[in-house]
PDB file of all heavy atoms in Angstrom:
ATOM      1  N   THR A   1      14.530  24.091 -11.463  1.00 94.00           N
ATOM      2  CA  THR A   1      13.657  25.256 -11.419  1.00 94.00           C
ATOM      3  C   THR A   1      12.227  24.784 -11.211  1.00 94.00           C
ATOM      4  O   THR A   1      11.859  23.676 -11.611  1.00 94.00           O
ATOM      5  CB  THR A   1      13.731  26.072 -12.723  1.00 94.00           C
ATOM      6  OG1 THR A   1      13.334  25.247 -13.829  1.00 94.00           O
ATOM      7  CG2 THR A   1      15.137  26.593 -12.956  1.00 94.00           C
ATOM      8  N   SER A   2      11.420  25.634 -10.576  1.00 93.00           N
ATOM      9  CA  SER A   2      10.026  25.307 -10.321  1.00 93.00           C
ATOM     10  C   SER A   2       9.117  26.212 -11.135  1.00 93.00           C
ATOM     11  O   SER A   2       9.528  27.300 -11.563  1.00 93.00           O
ATOM     12  CB  SER A   2       9.706  25.467  -8.830  1.00 93.00           C
ATOM     13  OG  SER A   2       9.585  26.842  -8.495  1.00 93.00           O
ATOM     14  N   PRO A   3       7.852  25.822 -11.334  1.00 93.00           N
ATOM     15  CA  PRO A   3       6.917  26.693 -12.050  1.00 93.00           C
ATOM     16  C   PRO A   3       6.667  28.006 -11.329  1.00 93.00           C
ATOM     17  O   PRO A   3       6.219  28.978 -11.940  1.00 93.00           O
ATOM     18  CB  PRO A   3       5.637  25.843 -12.116  1.00 93.00           C
ATOM     19  CG  PRO A   3       6.095  24.436 -11.974  1.00 93.00           C
ATOM     20  CD  PRO A   3       7.272  24.500 -11.051  1.00 93.00           C
ATOM     21  N   GLN A   4       6.943  28.080 -10.030  1.00 89.00           N
ATOM     22  CA  GLN A   4       6.728  29.290  -9.254  1.00 89.00           C
ATOM     23  C   GLN A   4       7.894  30.283  -9.360  1.00 89.00           C
ATOM     24  O   GLN A   4       7.882  31.325  -8.718  1.00 89.00           O
ATOM     25  CB  GLN A   4       6.502  28.936  -7.783  1.00 89.00           C
ATOM     26  CG  GLN A   4       5.214  28.176  -7.514  1.00 89.00           C
ATOM     27  CD  GLN A   4       5.289  26.717  -7.930  1.00 89.00           C
ATOM     28  OE1 GLN A   4       6.360  26.100  -7.862  1.00 89.00           O
ATOM     29  NE2 GLN A   4       4.172  26.157  -8.368  1.00 89.00           N
ATOM     30  N   GLY A   5       8.914  29.939 -10.161  1.00 89.00           N
ATOM     31  CA  GLY A   5      10.034  30.843 -10.344  1.00 89.00           C
ATOM     32  C   GLY A   5      11.183  30.630  -9.385  1.00 89.00           C
ATOM     33  O   GLY A   5      12.134  31.413  -9.356  1.00 89.00           O
ATOM     34  N   GLU A   6      11.134  29.596  -8.577  1.00 90.00           N
ATOM     35  CA  GLU A   6      12.238  29.270  -7.684  1.00 90.00           C
ATOM     36  C   GLU A   6      13.298  28.465  -8.435  1.00 90.00           C
ATOM     37  O   GLU A   6      12.989  27.757  -9.396  1.00 90.00           O
ATOM     38  CB  GLU A   6      11.749  28.464  -6.486  1.00 90.00           C
ATOM     39  CG  GLU A   6      10.752  29.191  -5.611  1.00 90.00           C
ATOM     40  CD  GLU A   6      10.233  28.313  -4.500  1.00 90.00           C
ATOM     41  OE1 GLU A   6      10.079  27.092  -4.722  1.00 90.00           O
ATOM     42  OE2 GLU A   6       9.981  28.831  -3.402  1.00 90.00           O
ATOM     43  N   SER A   7      14.524  28.572  -7.996  1.00 91.00           N
ATOM     44  CA  SER A   7      15.594  27.727  -8.538  1.00 91.00           C
ATOM     45  C   SER A   7      16.425  27.194  -7.388  1.00 91.00           C
ATOM     46  O   SER A   7      16.557  27.839  -6.346  1.00 91.00           O
ATOM     47  CB  SER A   7      16.475  28.502  -9.521  1.00 91.00           C
ATOM     48  OG  SER A   7      17.151  29.561  -8.870  1.00 91.00           O
ATOM     49  N   LEU A   8      16.966  26.020  -7.587  1.00 92.00           N
ATOM     50  CA  LEU A   8      17.752  25.353  -6.549  1.00 92.00           C
ATOM     51  C   LEU A   8      18.961  24.718  -7.202  1.00 92.00           C
ATOM     52  O   LEU A   8      18.830  23.993  -8.203  1.00 92.00           O
ATOM     53  CB  LEU A   8      16.901  24.282  -5.857  1.00 92.00           C
ATOM     54  CG  LEU A   8      17.547  23.516  -4.696  1.00 92.00           C
ATOM     55  CD1 LEU A   8      17.799  24.449  -3.524  1.00 92.00           C
ATOM     56  CD2 LEU A   8      16.655  22.355  -4.270  1.00 92.00           C
ATOM     57  N   GLU A   9      20.130  24.980  -6.662  1.00 91.00           N
ATOM     58  CA  GLU A   9      21.369  24.377  -7.168  1.00 91.00           C
ATOM     59  C   GLU A   9      22.055  23.621  -6.040  1.00 91.00           C
ATOM     60  O   GLU A   9      22.268  24.165  -4.956  1.00 91.00           O
ATOM     61  CB  GLU A   9      22.309  25.433  -7.736  1.00 91.00           C
ATOM     62  CG  GLU A   9      23.559  24.830  -8.367  1.00 91.00           C
ATOM     63  CD  GLU A   9      24.368  25.831  -9.164  1.00 91.00           C
ATOM     64  OE1 GLU A   9      23.831  26.917  -9.460  1.00 91.00           O
ATOM     65  OE2 GLU A   9      25.529  25.530  -9.497  1.00 91.00           O
ATOM     66  N   LEU A  10      22.382  22.350  -6.301  1.00 91.00           N
ATOM     67  CA  LEU A  10      23.005  21.479  -5.315  1.00 91.00           C
ATOM     68  C   LEU A  10      24.374  21.058  -5.816  1.00 91.00           C
ATOM     69  O   LEU A  10      24.538  20.704  -6.988  1.00 91.00           O
ATOM     70  CB  LEU A  10      22.154  20.227  -5.084  1.00 91.00           C
ATOM     71  CG  LEU A  10      20.672  20.435  -4.797  1.00 91.00           C
ATOM     72  CD1 LEU A  10      19.958  19.094  -4.714  1.00 91.00           C
ATOM     73  CD2 LEU A  10      20.482  21.221  -3.518  1.00 91.00           C
ATOM     74  N   VAL A  11      25.346  21.076  -4.932  1.00 89.00           N
ATOM     75  CA  VAL A  11      26.678  20.519  -5.202  1.00 89.00           C
ATOM     76  C   VAL A  11      27.022  19.628  -4.022  1.00 89.00           C
ATOM     77  O   VAL A  11      27.140  20.109  -2.890  1.00 89.00           O
ATOM     78  CB  VAL A  11      27.742  21.606  -5.383  1.00 89.00           C
ATOM     79  CG1 VAL A  11      29.098  20.968  -5.659  1.00 89.00           C
ATOM     80  CG2 VAL A  11      27.361  22.558  -6.509  1.00 89.00           C
ATOM     81  N   ALA A  12      27.168  18.339  -4.263  1.00 87.00           N
ATOM     82  CA  ALA A  12      27.455  17.382  -3.190  1.00 87.00           C
ATOM     83  C   ALA A  12      28.737  16.634  -3.515  1.00 87.00           C
ATOM     84  O   ALA A  12      28.875  16.062  -4.599  1.00 87.00           O
ATOM     85  CB  ALA A  12      26.302  16.399  -3.030  1.00 87.00           C
ATOM     86  N   GLU A  13      29.668  16.635  -2.583  1.00 83.00           N
ATOM     87  CA  GLU A  13      30.912  15.903  -2.745  1.00 83.00           C
ATOM     88  C   GLU A  13      30.751  14.481  -2.229  1.00 83.00           C
ATOM     89  O   GLU A  13      29.928  14.201  -1.357  1.00 83.00           O
ATOM     90  CB  GLU A  13      32.044  16.580  -1.977  1.00 83.00           C
ATOM     91  CG  GLU A  13      32.427  17.927  -2.533  1.00 83.00           C
ATOM     92  CD  GLU A  13      33.594  18.533  -1.790  1.00 83.00           C
ATOM     93  OE1 GLU A  13      34.041  17.923  -0.800  1.00 83.00           O
ATOM     94  OE2 GLU A  13      34.056  19.612  -2.192  1.00 83.00           O
ATOM     95  N   ARG A  14      31.547  13.603  -2.771  1.00 74.00           N
ATOM     96  CA  ARG A  14      31.547  12.211  -2.338  1.00 74.00           C
ATOM     97  C   ARG A  14      32.951  11.808  -1.913  1.00 74.00           C
ATOM     98  O   ARG A  14      33.925  12.137  -2.578  1.00 74.00           O
ATOM     99  CB  ARG A  14      31.089  11.296  -3.479  1.00 74.00           C
ATOM    100  CG  ARG A  14      31.115   9.826  -3.111  1.00 74.00           C
ATOM    101  CD  ARG A  14      30.861   8.961  -4.330  1.00 74.00           C
ATOM    102  NE  ARG A  14      30.884   7.558  -3.987  1.00 74.00           N
ATOM    103  CZ  ARG A  14      30.897   6.578  -4.878  1.00 74.00           C
ATOM    104  NH1 ARG A  14      30.887   6.857  -6.151  1.00 74.00           N
ATOM    105  NH2 ARG A  14      30.914   5.319  -4.494  1.00 74.00           N
ATOM    106  N   ARG A  15      32.999  11.085  -0.783  1.00 62.00           N
ATOM    107  CA  ARG A  15      34.261  10.534  -0.314  1.00 62.00           C
ATOM    108  C   ARG A  15      34.130   9.028  -0.310  1.00 62.00           C
ATOM    109  O   ARG A  15      33.251   8.465   0.337  1.00 62.00           O
ATOM    110  CB  ARG A  15      34.595  11.044   1.090  1.00 62.00           C
ATOM    111  CG  ARG A  15      35.927  10.534   1.620  1.00 62.00           C
ATOM    112  CD  ARG A  15      36.236  11.178   2.954  1.00 62.00           C
ATOM    113  NE  ARG A  15      35.171  10.931   3.910  1.00 62.00           N
ATOM    114  CZ  ARG A  15      35.018  11.613   5.044  1.00 62.00           C
ATOM    115  NH1 ARG A  15      35.845  12.593   5.337  1.00 62.00           N
ATOM    116  NH2 ARG A  15      34.035  11.326   5.873  1.00 62.00           N
ATOM    117  N   ARG A  16      34.987   8.345  -1.054  1.00 56.00           N
ATOM    118  CA  ARG A  16      34.882   6.897  -1.159  1.00 56.00           C
ATOM    119  C   ARG A  16      35.208   6.216   0.161  1.00 56.00           C
ATOM    120  O   ARG A  16      35.990   6.707   0.950  1.00 56.00           O
ATOM    121  CB  ARG A  16      35.812   6.350  -2.248  1.00 56.00           C
ATOM    122  CG  ARG A  16      35.334   6.673  -3.653  1.00 56.00           C
ATOM    123  CD  ARG A  16      36.122   5.901  -4.689  1.00 56.00           C
ATOM    124  NE  ARG A  16      35.570   6.102  -6.013  1.00 56.00           N
ATOM    125  CZ  ARG A  16      34.571   5.401  -6.509  1.00 56.00           C
ATOM    126  NH1 ARG A  16      33.995   4.463  -5.777  1.00 56.00           N
ATOM    127  NH2 ARG A  16      34.118   5.636  -7.733  1.00 56.00           N
ATOM    128  N   GLY A  17      34.612   5.023   0.329  1.00 48.00           N
ATOM    129  CA  GLY A  17      34.867   4.244   1.533  1.00 48.00           C
ATOM    130  C   GLY A  17      33.750   3.273   1.762  1.00 48.00           C
ATOM    131  O   GLY A  17      32.679   3.373   1.183  1.00 48.00           O
ATOM    132  N   GLY A  18      33.976   2.281   2.616  1.00 43.00           N
ATOM    133  CA  GLY A  18      32.937   1.305   2.897  1.00 43.00           C
ATOM    134  C   GLY A  18      32.981   0.168   1.916  1.00 43.00           C
ATOM    135  O   GLY A  18      33.508   0.258   0.815  1.00 43.00           O
ATOM    136  N   SER A  19      32.380  -0.944   2.339  1.00 38.00           N
ATOM    137  CA  SER A  19      32.466  -2.161   1.533  1.00 38.00           C
ATOM    138  C   SER A  19      31.265  -2.384   0.651  1.00 38.00           C
ATOM    139  O   SER A  19      31.325  -3.174  -0.274  1.00 38.00           O
ATOM    140  CB  SER A  19      32.621  -3.376   2.470  1.00 38.00           C
ATOM    141  OG  SER A  19      31.524  -3.443   3.372  1.00 38.00           O
ATOM    142  N   SER A  20      30.135  -1.694   0.907  1.00 39.00           N
ATOM    143  CA  SER A  20      28.952  -2.000   0.114  1.00 39.00           C
ATOM    144  C   SER A  20      28.181  -0.766  -0.340  1.00 39.00           C
ATOM    145  O   SER A  20      27.521  -0.822  -1.363  1.00 39.00           O
ATOM    146  CB  SER A  20      28.001  -2.892   0.930  1.00 39.00           C
ATOM    147  OG  SER A  20      27.604  -2.240   2.111  1.00 39.00           O
ATOM    148  N   MET A  21      28.258   0.344   0.377  1.00 41.00           N
ATOM    149  CA  MET A  21      27.534   1.541  -0.009  1.00 41.00           C
ATOM    150  C   MET A  21      28.416   2.754   0.236  1.00 41.00           C
ATOM    151  O   MET A  21      29.216   2.761   1.155  1.00 41.00           O
ATOM    152  CB  MET A  21      26.222   1.679   0.793  1.00 41.00           C
ATOM    153  CG  MET A  21      25.230   0.565   0.549  1.00 41.00           C
ATOM    154  SD  MET A  21      23.736   0.792   1.531  1.00 41.00           S
ATOM    155  CE  MET A  21      22.992   2.177   0.676  1.00 41.00           C
ATOM    156  N   PRO A  22      28.284   3.785  -0.620  1.00 42.00           N
ATOM    157  CA  PRO A  22      29.108   4.975  -0.410  1.00 42.00           C
ATOM    158  C   PRO A  22      28.788   5.631   0.918  1.00 42.00           C
ATOM    159  O   PRO A  22      27.654   5.576   1.392  1.00 42.00           O
ATOM    160  CB  PRO A  22      28.697   5.882  -1.577  1.00 42.00           C
ATOM    161  CG  PRO A  22      28.073   4.971  -2.580  1.00 42.00           C
ATOM    162  CD  PRO A  22      27.446   3.869  -1.796  1.00 42.00           C
ATOM    163  N   PRO A  23      29.763   6.287   1.549  1.00 39.00           N
ATOM    164  CA  PRO A  23      29.527   6.936   2.839  1.00 39.00           C
ATOM    165  C   PRO A  23      28.888   8.292   2.661  1.00 39.00           C
ATOM    166  O   PRO A  23      28.678   8.763   1.552  1.00 39.00           O
ATOM    167  CB  PRO A  23      30.938   7.080   3.398  1.00 39.00           C
ATOM    168  CG  PRO A  23      31.757   7.315   2.167  1.00 39.00           C
ATOM    169  CD  PRO A  23      31.142   6.424   1.099  1.00 39.00           C
ATOM    170  N   PHE A  24      28.625   8.949   3.775  1.00 36.00           N
ATOM    171  CA  PHE A  24      28.186  10.323   3.719  1.00 36.00           C
ATOM    172  C   PHE A  24      29.296  11.179   3.130  1.00 36.00           C
ATOM    173  O   PHE A  24      30.464  10.973   3.412  1.00 36.00           O
ATOM    174  CB  PHE A  24      27.858  10.835   5.126  1.00 36.00           C
ATOM    175  CG  PHE A  24      26.765  10.084   5.799  1.00 36.00           C
ATOM    176  CD1 PHE A  24      27.031   9.291   6.887  1.00 36.00           C
ATOM    177  CD2 PHE A  24      25.461  10.167   5.340  1.00 36.00           C
ATOM    178  CE1 PHE A  24      26.022   8.603   7.531  1.00 36.00           C
ATOM    179  CE2 PHE A  24      24.449   9.487   5.976  1.00 36.00           C
ATOM    180  CZ  PHE A  24      24.725   8.696   7.067  1.00 36.00           C
ATOM    181  N   ALA A  25      28.931  12.120   2.312  1.00 45.00           N
ATOM    182  CA  ALA A  25      29.921  13.022   1.756  1.00 45.00           C
ATOM    183  C   ALA A  25      30.268  14.094   2.786  1.00 45.00           C
ATOM    184  O   ALA A  25      29.467  14.418   3.638  1.00 45.00           O
ATOM    185  CB  ALA A  25      29.388  13.671   0.481  1.00 45.00           C
ATOM    186  N   PRO A  26      31.467  14.662   2.721  1.00 37.00           N
ATOM    187  CA  PRO A  26      31.879  15.614   3.732  1.00 37.00           C
ATOM    188  C   PRO A  26      31.265  16.996   3.577  1.00 37.00           C
ATOM    189  O   PRO A  26      31.288  17.778   4.511  1.00 37.00           O
ATOM    190  CB  PRO A  26      33.392  15.680   3.543  1.00 37.00           C
ATOM    191  CG  PRO A  26      33.599  15.323   2.112  1.00 37.00           C
ATOM    192  CD  PRO A  26      32.550  14.314   1.793  1.00 37.00           C
ATOM    193  N   ARG A  27      30.727  17.346   2.406  1.00 53.00           N
ATOM    194  CA  ARG A  27      30.240  18.706   2.233  1.00 53.00           C
ATOM    195  C   ARG A  27      29.195  18.758   1.137  1.00 53.00           C
ATOM    196  O   ARG A  27      29.239  18.030   0.167  1.00 53.00           O
ATOM    197  CB  ARG A  27      31.398  19.645   1.846  1.00 53.00           C
ATOM    198  CG  ARG A  27      30.988  21.098   1.699  1.00 53.00           C
ATOM    199  CD  ARG A  27      32.162  21.938   1.233  1.00 53.00           C
ATOM    200  NE  ARG A  27      32.593  21.571  -0.105  1.00 53.00           N
ATOM    201  CZ  ARG A  27      32.031  22.049  -1.224  1.00 53.00           C
ATOM    202  NH1 ARG A  27      31.022  22.885  -1.147  1.00 53.00           N
ATOM    203  NH2 ARG A  27      32.479  21.689  -2.402  1.00 53.00           N
ATOM    204  N   CYS A  28      28.238  19.626   1.301  1.00 58.00           N
ATOM    205  CA  CYS A  28      27.352  19.958   0.204  1.00 58.00           C
ATOM    206  C   CYS A  28      27.063  21.441   0.252  1.00 58.00           C
ATOM    207  O   CYS A  28      27.115  22.079   1.297  1.00 58.00           O
ATOM    208  CB  CYS A  28      26.058  19.162   0.248  1.00 58.00           C
ATOM    209  SG  CYS A  28      24.689  19.991   1.027  1.00 58.00           S
ATOM    210  N   THR A  29      26.787  22.007  -0.907  1.00 64.00           N
ATOM    211  CA  THR A  29      26.445  23.408  -1.011  1.00 64.00           C
ATOM    212  C   THR A  29      25.099  23.531  -1.690  1.00 64.00           C
ATOM    213  O   THR A  29      24.833  22.863  -2.681  1.00 64.00           O
ATOM    214  CB  THR A  29      27.509  24.181  -1.806  1.00 64.00           C
ATOM    215  OG1 THR A  29      28.771  24.027  -1.164  1.00 64.00           O
ATOM    216  CG2 THR A  29      27.161  25.655  -1.896  1.00 64.00           C
ATOM    217  N   VAL A  30      24.253  24.392  -1.152  1.00 66.00           N
ATOM    218  CA  VAL A  30      22.923  24.611  -1.702  1.00 66.00           C
ATOM    219  C   VAL A  30      22.751  26.088  -1.988  1.00 66.00           C
ATOM    220  O   VAL A  30      23.041  26.924  -1.134  1.00 66.00           O
ATOM    221  CB  VAL A  30      21.823  24.147  -0.720  1.00 66.00           C
ATOM    222  CG1 VAL A  30      20.443  24.480  -1.265  1.00 66.00           C
ATOM    223  CG2 VAL A  30      21.938  22.658  -0.451  1.00 66.00           C
ATOM    224  N   ALA A  31      22.322  26.426  -3.190  1.00 69.00           N
ATOM    225  CA  ALA A  31      21.968  27.801  -3.523  1.00 69.00           C
ATOM    226  C   ALA A  31      20.504  27.809  -3.932  1.00 69.00           C
ATOM    227  O   ALA A  31      20.115  27.111  -4.867  1.00 69.00           O
ATOM    228  CB  ALA A  31      22.842  28.340  -4.647  1.00 69.00           C
ATOM    229  N   TRP A  32      19.712  28.569  -3.215  1.00 66.00           N
ATOM    230  CA  TRP A  32      18.267  28.595  -3.441  1.00 66.00           C
ATOM    231  C   TRP A  32      17.844  30.005  -3.784  1.00 66.00           C
ATOM    232  O   TRP A  32      18.137  30.944  -3.061  1.00 66.00           O
ATOM    233  CB  TRP A  32      17.534  28.106  -2.193  1.00 66.00           C
ATOM    234  CG  TRP A  32      16.056  28.349  -2.184  1.00 66.00           C
ATOM    235  CD1 TRP A  32      15.145  27.966  -3.110  1.00 66.00           C
ATOM    236  CD2 TRP A  32      15.325  29.054  -1.176  1.00 66.00           C
ATOM    237  NE1 TRP A  32      13.885  28.370  -2.756  1.00 66.00           N
ATOM    238  CE2 TRP A  32      13.960  29.049  -1.561  1.00 66.00           C
ATOM    239  CE3 TRP A  32      15.671  29.689   0.015  1.00 66.00           C
ATOM    240  CZ2 TRP A  32      12.967  29.642  -0.812  1.00 66.00           C
ATOM    241  CZ3 TRP A  32      14.683  30.284   0.770  1.00 66.00           C
ATOM    242  CH2 TRP A  32      13.356  30.251   0.367  1.00 66.00           C
ATOM    243  N   LYS A  33      17.167  30.168  -4.909  1.00 67.00           N
ATOM    244  CA  LYS A  33      16.769  31.488  -5.375  1.00 67.00           C
ATOM    245  C   LYS A  33      15.255  31.531  -5.501  1.00 67.00           C
ATOM    246  O   LYS A  33      14.652  30.699  -6.167  1.00 67.00           O
ATOM    247  CB  LYS A  33      17.416  31.821  -6.712  1.00 67.00           C
ATOM    248  CG  LYS A  33      17.103  33.235  -7.206  1.00 67.00           C
ATOM    249  CD  LYS A  33      17.823  33.524  -8.500  1.00 67.00           C
ATOM    250  CE  LYS A  33      17.548  34.944  -8.978  1.00 67.00           C
ATOM    251  NZ  LYS A  33      18.228  35.245 -10.247  1.00 67.00           N
ATOM    252  N   LYS A  34      14.651  32.513  -4.842  1.00 61.00           N
ATOM    253  CA  LYS A  34      13.218  32.747  -4.962  1.00 61.00           C
ATOM    254  C   LYS A  34      13.011  34.184  -5.402  1.00 61.00           C
ATOM    255  O   LYS A  34      13.277  35.115  -4.661  1.00 61.00           O
ATOM    256  CB  LYS A  34      12.505  32.484  -3.637  1.00 61.00           C
ATOM    257  CG  LYS A  34      10.992  32.650  -3.730  1.00 61.00           C
ATOM    258  CD  LYS A  34      10.327  32.327  -2.411  1.00 61.00           C
ATOM    259  CE  LYS A  34       8.813  32.460  -2.526  1.00 61.00           C
ATOM    260  NZ  LYS A  34       8.132  32.160  -1.247  1.00 61.00           N
ATOM    261  N   ARG A  35      12.576  34.338  -6.651  1.00 47.00           N
ATOM    262  CA  ARG A  35      12.420  35.655  -7.262  1.00 47.00           C
ATOM    263  C   ARG A  35      13.768  36.384  -7.194  1.00 47.00           C
ATOM    264  O   ARG A  35      14.702  35.993  -7.856  1.00 47.00           O
ATOM    265  CB  ARG A  35      11.291  36.419  -6.581  1.00 47.00           C
ATOM    266  CG  ARG A  35       9.922  35.737  -6.751  1.00 47.00           C
ATOM    267  CD  ARG A  35       8.824  36.557  -6.115  1.00 47.00           C
ATOM    268  NE  ARG A  35       7.528  35.899  -6.304  1.00 47.00           N
ATOM    269  CZ  ARG A  35       6.990  35.061  -5.438  1.00 47.00           C
ATOM    270  NH1 ARG A  35       7.633  34.784  -4.315  1.00 47.00           N
ATOM    271  NH2 ARG A  35       5.822  34.503  -5.675  1.00 47.00           N
ATOM    272  N   SER A  36      13.890  37.437  -6.379  1.00 40.00           N
ATOM    273  CA  SER A  36      15.142  38.189  -6.355  1.00 40.00           C
ATOM    274  C   SER A  36      15.991  37.873  -5.137  1.00 40.00           C
ATOM    275  O   SER A  36      16.995  38.516  -4.892  1.00 40.00           O
ATOM    276  CB  SER A  36      14.837  39.700  -6.360  1.00 40.00           C
ATOM    277  OG  SER A  36      14.069  40.049  -5.222  1.00 40.00           O
ATOM    278  N   THR A  37      15.585  36.860  -4.351  1.00 44.00           N
ATOM    279  CA  THR A  37      16.307  36.523  -3.126  1.00 44.00           C
ATOM    280  C   THR A  37      17.174  35.295  -3.356  1.00 44.00           C
ATOM    281  O   THR A  37      16.694  34.278  -3.840  1.00 44.00           O
ATOM    282  CB  THR A  37      15.327  36.252  -1.980  1.00 44.00           C
ATOM    283  OG1 THR A  37      14.518  37.406  -1.795  1.00 44.00           O
ATOM    284  CG2 THR A  37      16.076  35.948  -0.686  1.00 44.00           C
ATOM    285  N   LEU A  38      18.421  35.379  -3.008  1.00 44.00           N
ATOM    286  CA  LEU A  38      19.346  34.256  -3.155  1.00 44.00           C
ATOM    287  C   LEU A  38      19.902  33.888  -1.794  1.00 44.00           C
ATOM    288  O   LEU A  38      20.445  34.739  -1.086  1.00 44.00           O
ATOM    289  CB  LEU A  38      20.507  34.606  -4.093  1.00 44.00           C
ATOM    290  CG  LEU A  38      21.564  33.514  -4.311  1.00 44.00           C
ATOM    291  CD1 LEU A  38      20.936  32.321  -5.016  1.00 44.00           C
ATOM    292  CD2 LEU A  38      22.731  34.050  -5.116  1.00 44.00           C
ATOM    293  N   ALA A  39      19.753  32.633  -1.431  1.00 49.00           N
ATOM    294  CA  ALA A  39      20.294  32.148  -0.162  1.00 49.00           C
ATOM    295  C   ALA A  39      21.282  31.035  -0.452  1.00 49.00           C
ATOM    296  O   ALA A  39      20.981  30.125  -1.216  1.00 49.00           O
ATOM    297  CB  ALA A  39      19.173  31.641   0.736  1.00 49.00           C
ATOM    298  N   SER A  40      22.449  31.103   0.130  1.00 50.00           N
ATOM    299  CA  SER A  40      23.455  30.055  -0.022  1.00 50.00           C
ATOM    300  C   SER A  40      23.710  29.425   1.331  1.00 50.00           C
ATOM    301  O   SER A  40      23.917  30.122   2.316  1.00 50.00           O
ATOM    302  CB  SER A  40      24.757  30.616  -0.590  1.00 50.00           C
ATOM    303  OG  SER A  40      24.556  31.111  -1.895  1.00 50.00           O
ATOM    304  N   MET A  41      23.662  28.109   1.370  1.00 51.00           N
ATOM    305  CA  MET A  41      23.818  27.386   2.615  1.00 51.00           C
ATOM    306  C   MET A  41      24.829  26.261   2.415  1.00 51.00           C
ATOM    307  O   MET A  41      24.890  25.667   1.354  1.00 51.00           O
ATOM    308  CB  MET A  41      22.489  26.766   3.060  1.00 51.00           C
ATOM    309  CG  MET A  41      21.362  27.781   3.293  1.00 51.00           C
ATOM    310  SD  MET A  41      20.521  28.299   1.812  1.00 51.00           S
ATOM    311  CE  MET A  41      19.579  26.826   1.434  1.00 51.00           C
ATOM    312  N   CYS A  42      25.609  25.996   3.418  1.00 52.00           N
ATOM    313  CA  CYS A  42      26.520  24.862   3.378  1.00 52.00           C
ATOM    314  C   CYS A  42      26.146  23.900   4.496  1.00 52.00           C
ATOM    315  O   CYS A  42      25.862  24.315   5.608  1.00 52.00           O
ATOM    316  CB  CYS A  42      27.973  25.291   3.560  1.00 52.00           C
ATOM    317  SG  CYS A  42      28.608  26.249   2.162  1.00 52.00           S
ATOM    318  N   GLY A  43      26.148  22.620   4.176  1.00 50.00           N
ATOM    319  CA  GLY A  43      25.782  21.641   5.188  1.00 50.00           C
ATOM    320  C   GLY A  43      26.430  20.304   4.916  1.00 50.00           C
ATOM    321  O   GLY A  43      26.917  20.052   3.826  1.00 50.00           O
TER     322      GLY A  43
END
């Protein structure tokens, strides 16, 4: 949450793989709320 009243919720999945660092995850979900507006995005 921010002092301006915004809120942000992140959900990021992880898929294991690679020999030294985790790979890109296949999906993330973002929910962003500003005052009475709620936006949900998937990327």
